Protein backbone atom coordinates (compact mmCIF):
# COMPACT_ATOMS: atom_id res chain seq x y z
CA UNK A 1 0.00 0.00 0.00
CA UNK A 2 1.24 3.51 -0.75
CA UNK A 3 2.05 6.02 1.98
CA UNK A 4 -0.93 8.16 0.94
CA UNK A 5 -3.34 5.27 1.35
CA UNK A 6 -1.81 4.32 4.69
CA UNK A 7 -2.15 7.88 5.99
CA UNK A 8 -5.79 8.11 4.92
CA UNK A 9 -6.48 4.74 6.53
CA UNK A 10 -4.96 5.86 9.84
CA UNK A 11 -7.01 9.06 9.84
CA UNK A 12 -10.22 7.21 9.02
CA UNK A 13 -9.65 4.62 11.72
CA UNK A 14 -9.74 7.45 14.27
CA UNK A 15 -12.81 9.14 12.74
CA UNK A 16 -15.14 6.24 11.97
CA UNK A 17 -16.94 3.80 14.25
CA UNK A 18 -15.38 0.34 14.29
CA UNK A 19 -18.06 -1.30 12.11
CA UNK A 20 -18.02 1.56 9.58
CA UNK A 21 -14.23 1.34 9.38
CA UNK A 22 -14.39 -2.43 8.83
CA UNK A 23 -16.99 -1.89 6.07
CA UNK A 24 -14.70 0.72 4.54
CA UNK A 25 -11.80 -1.76 4.38
CA UNK A 26 -14.12 -4.34 2.81
CA UNK A 27 -15.14 -1.82 0.14
CA UNK A 28 -11.53 -0.82 -0.44
CA UNK A 29 -10.33 -4.38 -1.11
CA UNK A 30 -13.42 -5.28 -3.16
CA UNK A 31 -12.93 -2.13 -5.27
CA UNK A 32 -9.30 -3.21 -5.73
CA UNK A 33 -10.37 -6.65 -6.99
CA UNK A 34 -12.87 -5.10 -9.42
CA UNK A 35 -10.22 -2.66 -10.66
CA UNK A 36 -7.94 -5.63 -11.43
CA UNK A 37 -10.77 -7.35 -13.28
CA UNK A 38 -11.68 -4.30 -15.38
CA UNK A 39 -8.20 -2.82 -15.91
CA UNK A 40 -8.96 0.28 -13.87
CA UNK A 41 -6.34 2.21 -11.92
CA UNK A 42 -5.77 0.15 -8.77
CA UNK A 43 -4.65 2.93 -6.45
CA UNK A 44 -7.54 5.17 -7.49
CA UNK A 45 -10.04 2.40 -6.79
CA UNK A 46 -8.49 1.64 -3.38
CA UNK A 47 -8.54 5.34 -2.47
CA UNK A 48 -12.17 5.81 -3.54
CA UNK A 49 -13.21 2.65 -1.68
CA UNK A 50 -11.40 3.73 1.46
CA UNK A 51 -12.95 7.21 1.45
CA UNK A 52 -16.43 6.48 0.07
CA UNK A 53 -18.15 6.76 3.49
CA UNK A 54 -15.84 9.37 5.07
CA UNK A 55 -18.88 11.69 5.26
CA UNK A 56 -20.51 9.24 7.68
CA UNK A 57 -18.29 10.05 10.66
CA UNK A 58 -21.13 11.97 12.35
CA UNK A 59 -24.96 11.77 12.49
CA UNK A 60 -27.12 13.12 9.66
CA UNK A 61 -28.09 16.28 11.57
CA UNK A 62 -24.44 17.19 11.97
CA UNK A 63 -23.81 16.32 8.32
CA UNK A 64 -26.46 18.90 7.35
CA UNK A 65 -24.80 21.50 9.59
CA UNK A 66 -21.40 20.75 8.03
CA UNK A 67 -22.91 21.20 4.57
CA UNK A 68 -24.32 24.58 5.60
CA UNK A 69 -20.96 25.60 7.08
CA UNK A 70 -19.06 24.67 3.93
CA UNK A 71 -21.69 26.05 1.52
CA UNK A 72 -22.46 22.63 0.07
CA UNK A 73 -25.88 22.95 -1.58
CA UNK A 74 -28.27 20.13 -0.71
CA UNK A 75 -31.17 19.17 -2.97
CA UNK A 76 -34.71 18.86 -1.63
CA UNK A 77 -34.35 15.08 -2.08
CA UNK A 78 -31.26 15.03 0.13
CA UNK A 79 -33.06 16.98 2.83
CA UNK A 80 -35.98 14.56 2.53
CA UNK A 81 -33.68 11.51 2.75
CA UNK A 82 -30.67 12.47 4.91
CA UNK A 83 -29.06 9.01 4.35
CA UNK A 84 -28.00 10.45 0.98
CA UNK A 85 -26.06 13.43 2.33
CA UNK A 86 -22.87 11.61 3.32
CA UNK A 87 -22.03 10.95 -0.33
CA UNK A 88 -21.90 14.61 -1.34
CA UNK A 89 -20.30 15.64 1.97
CA UNK A 90 -17.80 12.79 1.58
CA UNK A 91 -16.67 14.03 -1.82
CA UNK A 92 -16.09 17.47 -0.29
CA UNK A 93 -14.16 16.09 2.70
CA UNK A 94 -12.10 13.75 0.50
CA UNK A 95 -10.91 16.80 -1.40
CA UNK A 96 -10.49 19.31 1.43
CA UNK A 97 -9.48 17.09 4.36
CA UNK A 98 -7.85 14.08 2.74
CA UNK A 99 -6.09 15.84 -0.13
CA UNK A 100 -7.71 14.01 -3.04
CA UNK A 101 -7.89 16.08 -6.22
CA UNK A 102 -8.66 13.35 -8.74
CA UNK A 103 -12.17 13.97 -10.17
CA UNK A 104 -12.66 10.26 -10.96
CA UNK A 105 -12.26 9.43 -7.27
CA UNK A 106 -14.37 12.37 -6.11
CA UNK A 107 -17.22 11.51 -8.50
CA UNK A 108 -17.20 7.85 -7.45
CA UNK A 109 -17.63 8.99 -3.83
CA UNK A 110 -20.29 11.57 -4.79
CA UNK A 111 -22.45 9.05 -6.64
CA UNK A 112 -21.87 5.90 -4.59
CA UNK A 113 -25.30 5.94 -2.91
CA UNK A 114 -27.71 6.84 -5.74
CA UNK A 115 -25.58 5.91 -8.72
CA UNK A 116 -26.27 7.95 -11.86
CA UNK A 117 -26.93 7.35 -15.56
CA UNK A 118 -23.72 7.04 -17.62
CA UNK A 119 -21.55 6.00 -14.67
CA UNK A 120 -17.80 5.83 -15.28
CA UNK A 121 -16.08 2.48 -14.66
CA UNK A 122 -14.76 3.90 -11.36
CA UNK A 123 -18.31 4.96 -10.35
CA UNK A 124 -19.60 1.46 -11.06
CA UNK A 125 -16.76 -0.20 -9.17
CA UNK A 126 -17.42 1.81 -6.00
CA UNK A 127 -21.22 1.57 -6.33
CA UNK A 128 -20.97 -2.23 -6.52
CA UNK A 129 -18.09 -2.72 -4.06
CA UNK A 130 -20.21 -0.89 -1.47
CA UNK A 131 -23.06 -3.31 -2.07
CA UNK A 132 -21.14 -6.60 -2.32
CA UNK A 133 -18.22 -6.24 0.12
CA UNK A 134 -17.74 -9.39 2.24
CA UNK A 135 -19.10 -7.81 5.46
CA UNK A 136 -22.53 -7.00 3.97
CA UNK A 137 -25.46 -8.80 5.53
CA UNK A 138 -26.77 -11.53 3.24
CA UNK A 139 -29.93 -10.50 1.39
CA UNK A 140 -31.80 -12.16 -1.51
CA UNK A 141 -30.00 -11.58 -4.80
CA UNK A 142 -26.67 -10.65 -3.22
CA UNK A 143 -24.87 -13.83 -4.29
CA UNK A 144 -25.93 -13.26 -7.90
CA UNK A 145 -24.91 -9.58 -7.85
CA UNK A 146 -21.54 -10.59 -6.38
CA UNK A 147 -20.93 -12.97 -9.26
CA UNK A 148 -22.31 -10.57 -11.90
CA UNK A 149 -20.02 -7.80 -10.67
CA UNK A 150 -17.12 -9.83 -12.01
CA UNK A 151 -18.80 -11.20 -15.15
CA UNK A 152 -21.24 -8.54 -16.41
CA UNK A 153 -20.81 -5.23 -14.62
CA UNK A 154 -23.66 -3.43 -16.47
CA UNK A 155 -26.11 -6.14 -15.43
CA UNK A 156 -24.74 -6.06 -11.88
CA UNK A 157 -25.39 -2.30 -11.67
CA UNK A 158 -28.90 -2.82 -13.06
CA UNK A 159 -29.77 -5.48 -10.49
CA UNK A 160 -28.17 -3.55 -7.64
CA UNK A 161 -30.17 -0.42 -8.52
CA UNK A 162 -33.34 -2.49 -8.96
CA UNK A 163 -32.89 -4.19 -5.62
CA UNK A 164 -32.25 -0.88 -3.82
CA UNK A 165 -35.31 0.69 -5.45
CA UNK A 166 -37.45 -2.30 -4.54
CA UNK A 167 -36.32 -2.09 -0.92
CA UNK A 168 -36.99 1.67 -0.77
CA UNK A 169 -40.47 1.26 -2.29
CA UNK A 170 -41.41 -1.57 0.05
CA UNK A 171 -40.18 0.29 3.13
CA UNK A 172 -41.91 3.49 1.94
CA UNK A 173 -38.74 5.56 1.96
CA UNK A 174 -38.56 8.75 -0.07
CA UNK A 175 -36.86 8.01 -3.39
CA UNK A 176 -34.32 10.40 -4.85
CA UNK A 177 -35.05 10.93 -8.59
CA UNK A 178 -31.38 10.02 -9.24
CA UNK A 179 -31.83 6.55 -7.69
CA UNK A 180 -34.77 5.98 -10.05
CA UNK A 181 -32.91 7.38 -13.06
CA UNK A 182 -29.97 5.07 -12.42
CA UNK A 183 -32.24 2.04 -12.55
CA UNK A 184 -34.16 3.26 -15.63
CA UNK A 185 -30.91 3.93 -17.48
CA UNK A 186 -29.28 0.57 -16.73
CA UNK A 187 -32.50 -1.40 -17.29
CA UNK A 188 -32.56 -0.46 -20.96
O1 LIG B 1 -23.35 4.18 3.37
P1 LIG B 1 -23.68 2.71 3.25
O2 LIG B 1 -24.61 2.26 4.33
O3 LIG B 1 -22.48 1.84 3.16
O4 LIG B 1 -24.47 2.49 1.86
P2 LIG B 1 -25.07 3.56 0.83
O5 LIG B 1 -24.28 4.79 0.80
O6 LIG B 1 -25.24 2.85 -0.48
O7 LIG B 1 -26.54 3.82 1.27
C1 LIG B 1 -27.02 4.30 2.44
C2 LIG B 1 -28.52 4.11 2.39
O8 LIG B 1 -29.10 4.98 1.43
C3 LIG B 1 -28.97 2.70 2.01
O9 LIG B 1 -29.81 2.19 3.04
C4 LIG B 1 -29.79 2.88 0.74
C5 LIG B 1 -30.19 4.32 0.85
N1 LIG B 1 -30.62 4.97 -0.39
C6 LIG B 1 -30.14 4.85 -1.65
N2 LIG B 1 -30.89 5.58 -2.51
C7 LIG B 1 -31.87 6.16 -1.75
C8 LIG B 1 -31.68 5.78 -0.40
N3 LIG B 1 -32.51 6.18 0.61
C9 LIG B 1 -33.54 6.96 0.29
N4 LIG B 1 -34.37 7.35 1.23
N5 LIG B 1 -33.78 7.36 -1.01
C10 LIG B 1 -32.97 7.00 -2.05
O10 LIG B 1 -33.23 7.37 -3.21
FE1 LIG C 1 -22.40 5.21 1.78
FE1 LIG D 1 -20.62 2.20 2.26
Amino acid sequence: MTADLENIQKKLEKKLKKERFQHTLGVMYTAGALAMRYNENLEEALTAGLLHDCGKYCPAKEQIKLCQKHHIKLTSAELEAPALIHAKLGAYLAEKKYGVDNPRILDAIRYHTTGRPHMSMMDKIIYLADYIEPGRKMIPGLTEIRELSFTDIEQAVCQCAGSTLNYLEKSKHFIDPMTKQTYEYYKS
Side-chain angles (χ1 to χ4, degrees):
M1 214 194 273
T2 64
D4 280 352
L5 270 171
E6 244 179 79
N7 282 333
I8 296 173
Q9 193 172 312
K10 278 191 194 134
K11 273 175 85 169
L12 279 172
E13 190 167 14
K14 290 189 197 123
K15 278 271 177 196
L16 299 178
K17 290 207 182 97
K18 194 167 160 230
E19 306 81 70
R20 182 64 47 191
F21 182 67
Q22 287 303 325
H23 162 69
T24 278
L25 294 182
V27 175
M28 175 178 77
Y29 285 117
T30 305
L34 288 167
M36 293 176 197
R37 164 65 181 84
Y38 294 107
N39 282 316
E40 260 298 324
N41 184 295
L42 184 54
E43 189 174 344
E44 286 179 14
L46 293 170
T47 307
L50 190 57
L51 281 167
H52 83 286
D53 274 340
C54 73
K56 257 194 172 161
Y57 76 92
C58 59
K61 275 197 180 149
E62 276 177 55
Q63 292 172 23
I64 295 175
K65 281 188 195 150
L66 281 169
C67 287
Q68 287 166 344
K69 181 176 159 194
H70 296 298
H71 309 287
I72 302 166
K73 280 213 177 78
L74 295 174
T75 61
S76 56
E78 285 162 337
L79 290 167
E80 197 83 37
L84 303 170
I85 294 169
H86 74 285
K88 191 182 265 181
L89 176 62
Y92 174 89
L93 295 174
E95 184 174 3
K96 306 289 180 190
K97 307 276 178 193
Y98 295 89
V100 174
D101 61 2
N102 181 327
R104 287 185 295 279
I105 297 176
L106 298 177
D107 275 346
I109 297 172
R110 186 171 294 116
Y111 295 105
H112 85 267
T113 302
T114 58
R116 59 170 164 167
H118 303 283
M119 276 192 264
S120 70
M121 182 54 87
M122 189 62 67
D123 293 350
K124 290 178 210 166
I125 285 175
I126 300 305
Y127 181 74
L128 288 170
D130 189 24
Y131 197 82
I132 68 171
E133 66 96 357
R136 277 287 188 211
K137 184 170 83 65
M138 185 44 76
I139 52 168
L142 181 57
T143 304
E144 195 188 356
I145 295 174
R146 280 181 168 152
E147 184 175 344
L148 276 173
S149 295
F150 290 89
T151 55
D152 184 348
I153 196 162
E154 298 286 307
Q155 185 58 27
V157 168
C158 176
Q159 293 200 21
C160 184
S163 169
T164 299
L165 206 52
N166 193 27
Y167 155 76
L168 292 169
E169 277 166 0
K170 275 197 177 145
S171 54
K172 308 234 188 293
H173 278 83
F174 174 85
I175 292 166
D176 188 324
M178 189 73 94
T179 303
K180 184 98 184 165
Q181 282 168 33
T182 302
Y183 177 62
E184 294 298 333
Y185 178 86
Y186 284 94
K187 194 175 64 168
S188 48

